[in-house]
Amino acid sequence: MIQVLTNNWSTLLTGFGNTLLASVIALFFSLLIGSGLAIMETVPSKTARVIAHIYIEIFRNIPLLVITMFFYVVIPQYVAPMSGFAAGTIGLTLYTSSFIAETVRAGIQSVDPGQMEGARSNGMTYWQAMRHIVLPQAFRLVIPPLGNQFINLIKNSSVLAFVAGFDLMYQGDALASATFDTFNTYLVVGVFYLILTLPLSYYMRYLEKKLA
């Protein structure tokens, strides 16, 4: 294991960096899109609810690899060139956002409706009440499941290996093929993934306790 790490440090570090970058980008945009969809699912407008519902049902029920391959194969053929890294990150974002949307929606609906009614009776608009009263409480309630979604996102980033995204898994596959030392190579890859997921897991637990 140590020999694999020392002999291929630069390659593994490049893969680790690409995995981290793809995960951070996908995490940011999936949280943004997912939160927007969750709000759309709870607004009075039926049109907004239907649009959000269709988006969520589509991306939640199609395998991540299929979504990623669509952007890697179909989009470059008919729209514009796209790298494996971009295709994988977009697929990861769209897929994860559908799960985050359902998580945040559940949080919003868990907040006492009286909170919204009280805010409206005090002169707040619907959107002001949602922003300042409902959403802060909703996010506090859904920290544990959101943390699980973030960790799943990091693990799912290995899909980039299928589209030449030069992520950690891609580099690990290349090293295993070149050295035939599959055991130690994938052991090192697993350790790198733990370096990403374990601190996040402990931080989400800390945040949950702090905001309880």
Side-chain angles (χ1 to χ4, degrees), residues 115 132-133 165 172 203:
Q115 300 276 341
H132 297 289
I133 306 297
Y203 176 71

Side-chain angles (χ1 to χ4, degrees), residues 62-71:
I62 296 177
L64 172 58
L65 184 57
V66 174
I67 299 170
T68 301
M69 292 303 293
F70 175 84
F71 283 97

Side-chain angles (χ1 to χ4, degrees), residues 146-162:
L146 270 183
N148 290 334
Q149 291 298 334
F150 294 160
I151 291 169
N152 286 336
L153 184 153
I154 293 172
K155 292 187 290 185
N156 287 339
S157 69
S158 60
V159 75
L160 270 73
F162 291 93

